Amino acid sequence: MSKRARREQRTGKKLHQRKGFFLLIGIFIGIVFVAALYQTSVYFSTNESCMMCHVHPHAEESWMLSVHVNNSSGVMVNCVDCHLPPKDDTWAHYTAKISLGARDLWGYLTKDPAEIDWDRKSELEHAIKYIPNESCVKCHQNLFPQGISDDGITAHLYYEENAEKLDLQCISCHLDVGHYNPNYSHGQMVGIPGQTATAAVDTSLFYKEPAEVASFTNYTEQIPGTAVSFGMIAIKGGTFRMGSPEKEPFRNPDESPQHEVSLSPFFMAEVETTWDMYWAFYAETMSEGRTPPETVYANNLNAMGVDAISGPTPPFGYPDQGWGQGDRPAITMTHYAAETFCQWLSEKTGKKYRLPTEAEWEYAARGGTETPYFFPGSPKDFSDQGFMRNVFKPKTDGITSYVVYDKNSNGRTQPPSEVMANPFGLKNMLGNVMEYTADKYDPQAYAKRSGVTHNPRVTEGDEWVVRGGLYSSDAADVRSASRRHTQHEAWLRTDPQQPKSIWWYSDIKGIGFRVVCEPDL
C-alpha cells in the first residue's frame, strides 16, 4: 500500500477533501482575481480607455494642446494623474476611480454630447469637483522652480501659508493647464481688452459734451472723449412697502418687517454698468503700480477733477472670464471700485452719479408692483427648491423673458438684449449680476424703522448690501425683496497680494452695479 493510501486510510479523507487543499485553492483564486483586477485597472487607467467612453468631445483635443502635454520637460501628464487622488492613497484612488468611471460610462450610454453646455462645464465651479488638489501637489512638490516670476513666488508663498486654512486649490489659478482654454490668461492683464495700440480711432464718434438734462425725463448720457453712451430712466418719487409679506414663499428673516418708505425722484441707468463704460473709466484712471490703499483712499477723497482720480490697477487675468465684453455687465470689481467709477463719471459729466440706496433699488426693481416679481408668477412655480422638484420640473414660462438666472444663463452673464424691461423700463434688475447698493448690511435694518421712512440709508456695518441675484441664482433668490451682502474676505480668498486688491475680487464673478443720478433741476 502506498504512503498516500495509508495516509488517506488513517484520516479517512482524500486529498481534495482536506481543509488545507481548499485554502490553497482559495488563495490561488484570490491571487488570480486580484491580478486580473489590477490588470483591468491598469488598462482602464490609460488615456485611450478614458477617451473611449468620455462624452466630452473636446477633452482629448484640449488636453493635447495643454501645457501638461506641450511642455519643455517632455513629461506628459495623463488623465488619471489629474482626475484621481494619488495612487499612494490606495482607498481614495480606487474609490474615486470606480465613481468617475461609472459616471463616465453612464454618460456615454445615456447622454447626448450635443445637448451639454461644455463651456459651462469648463468653468472653475464645475472643474474643481474633478481635480483633487493633492494630485497637483504630488506632481509639483517644488513650488519655486528656476525661472519663476516674483508674482509667482508671492502667490506660491501665500498658498503654502494658507492652503489648509483657506482650502486653497491650485486649479483656481491654473485652470487651463490640463485642458487648454484660449479664453484663459494666467497673468496680469495687459492693456484693455478689445483695444490695440495700432488700432485706428475714429474720433468723430466721440461725444464732445455730456448730455444736458433740462427736465425730469429719460435721457441718454454721453461720456465726453469716448464713443460710449447709456440710457438713464427718470424714476418718479413715491411711497412703497419695502420688504416681503410673511406669506411670500422663500422669504428670509432680514426682509421683515414690511414698512413704508418714501423716496425722492431719481434717475437710474437702464442697464447694469457695461464693460464699454467701465473700460472707458479704466483707460483714463488706471494705476500701474501697487499704491498703498490708504494713499489711494486719501487721493480720491481729495481729488479735484478727473485727472486726480486714482483708478484700478490691472487685474489678474481677464475679468470678463472670456464671456464677452461690450454691453455685457462689467463684473468682479469691488464696491470701492464701483464708487470710484461713480466719482469719475460725476467729474466727467458734471452731474452727481452714485450707487443707488437699497430702498431706491427695490423701488425701481418692483416697477410699481407689490408681488414677488414685477411680472406674474409665484416663486413656488419657478424655484428648483422643494420636495416636488424631485418629480416635476419648475416652470420657466414668463420668468425667462425678464430674468437671466440659473435656468437660462448658460452659466454666465448675458447682454441686456436677452431680456425685456420691467414696468419702469429697466433691464436686468433681477438676475444676471448682483448689484451693489450704497447701504451697509444690517439684518435688523427694517425692524429699526417706524412710520414712513424718507430716503433711508444704512451707514453702519461691515458688509455692503447687494441686490437682484445673479446668473447662477435659483428663482427664489431673484425676488424683488431678496437681500444679500458682500463677503469681502471670502471674495478675496485666493488673492495672494499683500495688501489684497482694493479694485478687483478674485473669487466672485456675478457682481456688478448700475448707477443713479440725482436730479439737479
PDB file of all heavy atoms in Angstrom, residues 449-471:
ATOM      1  N   ARG A 449     -37.014 100.728  11.844  1.00  0.00           N
ATOM      2  CA  ARG A 449     -37.740 101.832  11.233  1.00  0.00           C
ATOM      3  C   ARG A 449     -39.197 101.820  11.695  1.00  0.00           C
ATOM      4  O   ARG A 449     -39.755 100.757  11.981  1.00  0.00           O
ATOM      5  CB  ARG A 449     -37.666 101.746   9.709  1.00  0.00           C
ATOM      6  CG  ARG A 449     -36.250 101.827   9.172  1.00  0.00           C
ATOM      7  CD  ARG A 449     -36.171 101.508   7.696  1.00  0.00           C
ATOM      8  NE  ARG A 449     -34.769 101.447   7.232  1.00  0.00           N
ATOM      9  CZ  ARG A 449     -34.382 100.992   6.047  1.00  0.00           C
ATOM     10  NH1 ARG A 449     -35.289 100.535   5.183  1.00  0.00           N
ATOM     11  NH2 ARG A 449     -33.100 100.977   5.722  1.00  0.00           N
ATOM     12  N   SER A 450     -39.804 102.981  11.742  1.00  0.00           N
ATOM     13  CA  SER A 450     -41.214 103.091  12.113  1.00  0.00           C
ATOM     14  C   SER A 450     -41.846 104.209  11.301  1.00  0.00           C
ATOM     15  O   SER A 450     -41.166 105.139  10.854  1.00  0.00           O
ATOM     16  CB  SER A 450     -41.362 103.361  13.612  1.00  0.00           C
ATOM     17  OG  SER A 450     -40.720 104.577  13.965  1.00  0.00           O
ATOM     18  N   GLY A 451     -43.158 104.092  11.134  1.00  0.00           N
ATOM     19  CA  GLY A 451     -43.855 105.089  10.348  1.00  0.00           C
ATOM     20  C   GLY A 451     -43.402 105.052   8.903  1.00  0.00           C
ATOM     21  O   GLY A 451     -43.061 104.001   8.360  1.00  0.00           O
ATOM     22  N   VAL A 452     -43.370 106.198   8.260  1.00  0.00           N
ATOM     23  CA  VAL A 452     -42.898 106.308   6.880  1.00  0.00           C
ATOM     24  C   VAL A 452     -41.470 106.851   6.915  1.00  0.00           C
ATOM     25  O   VAL A 452     -41.224 107.971   7.361  1.00  0.00           O
ATOM     26  CB  VAL A 452     -43.801 107.238   6.045  1.00  0.00           C
ATOM     27  CG1 VAL A 452     -43.252 107.346   4.622  1.00  0.00           C
ATOM     28  CG2 VAL A 452     -45.237 106.718   6.020  1.00  0.00           C
ATOM     29  N   THR A 453     -40.530 106.049   6.459  1.00  0.00           N
ATOM     30  CA  THR A 453     -39.118 106.446   6.463  1.00  0.00           C
ATOM     31  C   THR A 453     -38.780 107.094   5.136  1.00  0.00           C
ATOM     32  O   THR A 453     -39.031 106.528   4.060  1.00  0.00           O
ATOM     33  CB  THR A 453     -38.208 105.229   6.683  1.00  0.00           C
ATOM     34  OG1 THR A 453     -38.637 104.524   7.847  1.00  0.00           O
ATOM     35  CG2 THR A 453     -36.766 105.667   6.862  1.00  0.00           C
ATOM     36  N   HIS A 454     -38.191 108.281   5.181  1.00  0.00           N
ATOM     37  CA  HIS A 454     -37.891 109.026   3.957  1.00  0.00           C
ATOM     38  C   HIS A 454     -36.425 108.833   3.556  1.00  0.00           C
ATOM     39  O   HIS A 454     -35.519 109.076   4.353  1.00  0.00           O
ATOM     40  CB  HIS A 454     -38.188 110.510   4.165  1.00  0.00           C
ATOM     41  CG  HIS A 454     -38.005 111.336   2.924  1.00  0.00           C
ATOM     42  ND1 HIS A 454     -38.758 111.156   1.783  1.00  0.00           N
ATOM     43  CD2 HIS A 454     -37.143 112.361   2.642  1.00  0.00           C
ATOM     44  CE1 HIS A 454     -38.373 112.014   0.858  1.00  0.00           C
ATOM     45  NE2 HIS A 454     -37.388 112.752   1.365  1.00  0.00           N
ATOM     46  N   ASN A 455     -36.225 108.364   2.356  1.00  0.00           N
ATOM     47  CA  ASN A 455     -34.885 108.173   1.799  1.00  0.00           C
ATOM     48  C   ASN A 455     -33.918 107.488   2.771  1.00  0.00           C
ATOM     49  O   ASN A 455     -32.848 108.023   3.101  1.00  0.00           O
ATOM     50  CB  ASN A 455     -34.281 109.514   1.357  1.00  0.00           C
ATOM     51  CG  ASN A 455     -34.987 110.121   0.163  1.00  0.00           C
ATOM     52  OD1 ASN A 455     -35.605 109.409  -0.625  1.00  0.00           O
ATOM     53  ND2 ASN A 455     -34.914 111.442   0.039  1.00  0.00           N
ATOM     54  N   PRO A 456     -34.243 106.292   3.256  1.00  0.00           N
ATOM     55  CA  PRO A 456     -33.360 105.633   4.234  1.00  0.00           C
ATOM     56  C   PRO A 456     -32.046 105.186   3.604  1.00  0.00           C
ATOM     57  O   PRO A 456     -31.974 104.862   2.417  1.00  0.00           O
ATOM     58  CB  PRO A 456     -34.179 104.418   4.673  1.00  0.00           C
ATOM     59  CG  PRO A 456     -35.040 104.104   3.489  1.00  0.00           C
ATOM     60  CD  PRO A 456     -35.400 105.446   2.893  1.00  0.00           C
ATOM     61  N   ARG A 457     -31.031 105.164   4.448  1.00  0.00           N
ATOM     62  CA  ARG A 457     -29.731 104.637   4.038  1.00  0.00           C
ATOM     63  C   ARG A 457     -28.994 104.169   5.283  1.00  0.00           C
ATOM     64  O   ARG A 457     -28.840 104.941   6.238  1.00  0.00           O
ATOM     65  CB  ARG A 457     -28.901 105.692   3.301  1.00  0.00           C
ATOM     66  CG  ARG A 457     -27.547 105.164   2.846  1.00  0.00           C
ATOM     67  CD  ARG A 457     -26.694 106.257   2.244  1.00  0.00           C
ATOM     68  NE  ARG A 457     -25.351 105.794   1.961  1.00  0.00           N
ATOM     69  CZ  ARG A 457     -24.316 106.585   1.662  1.00  0.00           C
ATOM     70  NH1 ARG A 457     -24.490 107.901   1.624  1.00  0.00           N
ATOM     71  NH2 ARG A 457     -23.122 106.082   1.412  1.00  0.00           N
ATOM     72  N   VAL A 458     -28.535 102.921   5.295  1.00  0.00           N
ATOM     73  CA  VAL A 458     -27.807 102.360   6.430  1.00  0.00           C
ATOM     74  C   VAL A 458     -26.317 102.630   6.240  1.00  0.00           C
ATOM     75  O   VAL A 458     -25.741 102.263   5.203  1.00  0.00           O
ATOM     76  CB  VAL A 458     -28.063 100.843   6.554  1.00  0.00           C
ATOM     77  CG1 VAL A 458     -27.267 100.261   7.716  1.00  0.00           C
ATOM     78  CG2 VAL A 458     -29.555 100.573   6.734  1.00  0.00           C
ATOM     79  N   THR A 459     -25.693 103.249   7.221  1.00  0.00           N
ATOM     80  CA  THR A 459     -24.288 103.649   7.092  1.00  0.00           C
ATOM     81  C   THR A 459     -23.360 102.886   8.027  1.00  0.00           C
ATOM     82  O   THR A 459     -22.149 103.101   7.990  1.00  0.00           O
ATOM     83  CB  THR A 459     -24.145 105.157   7.377  1.00  0.00           C
ATOM     84  OG1 THR A 459     -24.651 105.435   8.694  1.00  0.00           O
ATOM     85  CG2 THR A 459     -24.918 105.983   6.361  1.00  0.00           C
ATOM     86  N   GLU A 460     -23.895 101.979   8.845  1.00  0.00           N
ATOM     87  CA  GLU A 460     -23.066 101.226   9.777  1.00  0.00           C
ATOM     88  C   GLU A 460     -23.165  99.735   9.494  1.00  0.00           C
ATOM     89  O   GLU A 460     -24.260  99.201   9.284  1.00  0.00           O
ATOM     90  CB  GLU A 460     -23.480 101.516  11.226  1.00  0.00           C
ATOM     91  CG  GLU A 460     -23.243 102.956  11.645  1.00  0.00           C
ATOM     92  CD  GLU A 460     -23.611 103.196  13.102  1.00  0.00           C
ATOM     93  OE1 GLU A 460     -24.060 102.238  13.757  1.00  0.00           O
ATOM     94  OE2 GLU A 460     -23.434 104.334  13.573  1.00  0.00           O
ATOM     95  N   GLY A 461     -22.017  99.077   9.495  1.00  0.00           N
ATOM     96  CA  GLY A 461     -21.971  97.649   9.222  1.00  0.00           C
ATOM     97  C   GLY A 461     -20.634  97.278   8.607  1.00  0.00           C
ATOM     98  O   GLY A 461     -19.827  98.150   8.249  1.00  0.00           O
ATOM     99  N   ASP A 462     -20.388  95.998   8.470  1.00  0.00           N
ATOM    100  CA  ASP A 462     -19.102  95.523   7.934  1.00  0.00           C
ATOM    101  C   ASP A 462     -19.166  95.193   6.443  1.00  0.00           C
ATOM    102  O   ASP A 462     -18.143  95.200   5.765  1.00  0.00           O
ATOM    103  CB  ASP A 462     -18.641  94.269   8.694  1.00  0.00           C
ATOM    104  CG  ASP A 462     -18.369  94.566  10.162  1.00  0.00           C
ATOM    105  OD1 ASP A 462     -17.874  95.674  10.452  1.00  0.00           O
ATOM    106  OD2 ASP A 462     -18.663  93.695  10.999  1.00  0.00           O
ATOM    107  N   GLU A 463     -20.360  94.857   5.951  1.00  0.00           N
ATOM    108  CA  GLU A 463     -20.501  94.476   4.548  1.00  0.00           C
ATOM    109  C   GLU A 463     -21.524  95.373   3.863  1.00  0.00           C
ATOM    110  O   GLU A 463     -22.286  96.104   4.513  1.00  0.00           O
ATOM    111  CB  GLU A 463     -20.946  93.007   4.435  1.00  0.00           C
ATOM    112  CG  GLU A 463     -19.995  92.001   5.080  1.00  0.00           C
ATOM    113  CD  GLU A 463     -18.720  91.757   4.278  1.00  0.00           C
ATOM    114  OE1 GLU A 463     -18.601  92.328   3.179  1.00  0.00           O
ATOM    115  OE2 GLU A 463     -17.857  90.991   4.745  1.00  0.00           O
ATOM    116  N   TRP A 464     -21.559  95.307   2.530  1.00  0.00           N
ATOM    117  CA  TRP A 464     -22.478  96.118   1.740  1.00  0.00           C
ATOM    118  C   TRP A 464     -23.639  95.268   1.234  1.00  0.00           C
ATOM    119  O   TRP A 464     -23.465  94.093   0.934  1.00  0.00           O
ATOM    120  CB  TRP A 464     -21.752  96.732   0.538  1.00  0.00           C
ATOM    121  CG  TRP A 464     -20.632  97.655   0.895  1.00  0.00           C
ATOM    122  CD1 TRP A 464     -19.313  97.348   0.973  1.00  0.00           C
ATOM    123  CD2 TRP A 464     -20.743  99.040   1.245  1.00  0.00           C
ATOM    124  NE1 TRP A 464     -18.584  98.447   1.338  1.00  0.00           N
ATOM    125  CE2 TRP A 464     -19.429  99.504   1.508  1.00  0.00           C
ATOM    126  CE3 TRP A 464     -21.811  99.922   1.351  1.00  0.00           C
ATOM    127  CZ2 TRP A 464     -19.173 100.825   1.874  1.00  0.00           C
ATOM    128  CZ3 TRP A 464     -21.556 101.243   1.715  1.00  0.00           C
ATOM    129  CH2 TRP A 464     -20.252 101.686   1.973  1.00  0.00           C
ATOM    130  N   VAL A 465     -24.799  95.874   1.142  1.00  0.00           N
ATOM    131  CA  VAL A 465     -25.961  95.184   0.586  1.00  0.00           C
ATOM    132  C   VAL A 465     -25.789  95.036  -0.927  1.00  0.00           C
ATOM    133  O   VAL A 465     -25.398  95.985  -1.617  1.00  0.00           O
ATOM    134  CB  VAL A 465     -27.256  95.967   0.868  1.00  0.00           C
ATOM    135  CG1 VAL A 465     -28.448  95.294   0.166  1.00  0.00           C
ATOM    136  CG2 VAL A 465     -27.510  96.054   2.357  1.00  0.00           C
ATOM    137  N   VAL A 466     -26.053  93.826  -1.428  1.00  0.00           N
ATOM    138  CA  VAL A 466     -26.120  93.598  -2.875  1.00  0.00           C
ATOM    139  C   VAL A 466     -27.503  93.046  -3.184  1.00  0.00           C
ATOM    140  O   VAL A 466     -28.084  92.309  -2.386  1.00  0.00           O
ATOM    141  CB  VAL A 466     -25.023  92.624  -3.370  1.00  0.00           C
ATOM    142  CG1 VAL A 466     -23.656  93.251  -3.210  1.00  0.00           C
ATOM    143  CG2 VAL A 466     -25.078  91.291  -2.639  1.00  0.00           C
ATOM    144  N   ARG A 467     -28.034  93.388  -4.335  1.00  0.00           N
ATOM    145  CA  ARG A 467     -29.412  93.046  -4.647  1.00  0.00           C
ATOM    146  C   ARG A 467     -29.541  92.400  -6.024  1.00  0.00           C
ATOM    147  O   ARG A 467     -28.683  92.558  -6.897  1.00  0.00           O
ATOM    148  CB  ARG A 467     -30.281  94.302  -4.608  1.00  0.00           C
ATOM    149  CG  ARG A 467     -30.586  94.822  -3.214  1.00  0.00           C
ATOM    150  CD  ARG A 467     -31.384  93.821  -2.394  1.00  0.00           C
ATOM    151  NE  ARG A 467     -32.228  94.473  -1.410  1.00  0.00           N
ATOM    152  CZ  ARG A 467     -33.556  94.533  -1.455  1.00  0.00           C
ATOM    153  NH1 ARG A 467     -34.206  93.972  -2.450  1.00  0.00           N
ATOM    154  NH2 ARG A 467     -34.225  95.157  -0.495  1.00  0.00           N
ATOM    155  N   GLY A 468     -30.637  91.676  -6.216  1.00  0.00           N
ATOM    156  CA  GLY A 468     -31.041  91.216  -7.539  1.00  0.00           C
ATOM    157  C   GLY A 468     -30.696  89.796  -7.901  1.00  0.00           C
ATOM    158  O   GLY A 468     -31.218  89.273  -8.890  1.00  0.00           O
ATOM    159  N   GLY A 469     -29.796  89.133  -7.168  1.00  0.00           N
ATOM    160  CA  GLY A 469     -29.380  87.800  -7.580  1.00  0.00           C
ATOM    161  C   GLY A 469     -28.472  87.843  -8.790  1.00  0.00           C
ATOM    162  O   GLY A 469     -28.149  88.914  -9.316  1.00  0.00           O
ATOM    163  N   LEU A 470     -28.046  86.666  -9.266  1.00  0.00           N
ATOM    164  CA  LEU A 470     -27.103  86.602 -10.378  1.00  0.00           C
ATOM    165  C   LEU A 470     -27.442  85.460 -11.325  1.00  0.00           C
ATOM    166  O   LEU A 470     -28.431  84.761 -11.134  1.00  0.00           O
ATOM    167  CB  LEU A 470     -25.676  86.449  -9.866  1.00  0.00           C
ATOM    168  CG  LEU A 470     -25.302  85.146  -9.146  1.00  0.00           C
ATOM    169  CD1 LEU A 470     -23.793  84.938  -9.216  1.00  0.00           C
ATOM    170  CD2 LEU A 470     -25.728  85.160  -7.692  1.00  0.00           C
ATOM    171  N   TYR A 471     -26.611  85.290 -12.325  1.00  0.00           N
ATOM    172  CA  TYR A 471     -26.873  84.329 -13.387  1.00  0.00           C
ATOM    173  C   TYR A 471     -26.999  82.891 -12.902  1.00  0.00           C
ATOM    174  O   TYR A 471     -27.594  82.053 -13.569  1.00  0.00           O
ATOM    175  CB  TYR A 471     -25.788  84.418 -14.463  1.00  0.00           C
ATOM    176  CG  TYR A 471     -24.394  84.130 -13.955  1.00  0.00           C
ATOM    177  CD1 TYR A 471     -23.920  82.830 -13.842  1.00  0.00           C
ATOM    178  CD2 TYR A 471     -23.550  85.160 -13.565  1.00  0.00           C
ATOM    179  CE1 TYR A 471     -22.647  82.561 -13.360  1.00  0.00           C
ATOM    180  CE2 TYR A 471     -22.288  84.905 -13.080  1.00  0.00           C
ATOM    181  CZ  TYR A 471     -21.835  83.603 -12.972  1.00  0.00           C
ATOM    182  OH  TYR A 471     -20.582  83.338 -12.480  1.00  0.00           O
TER     183      TYR A 471
END
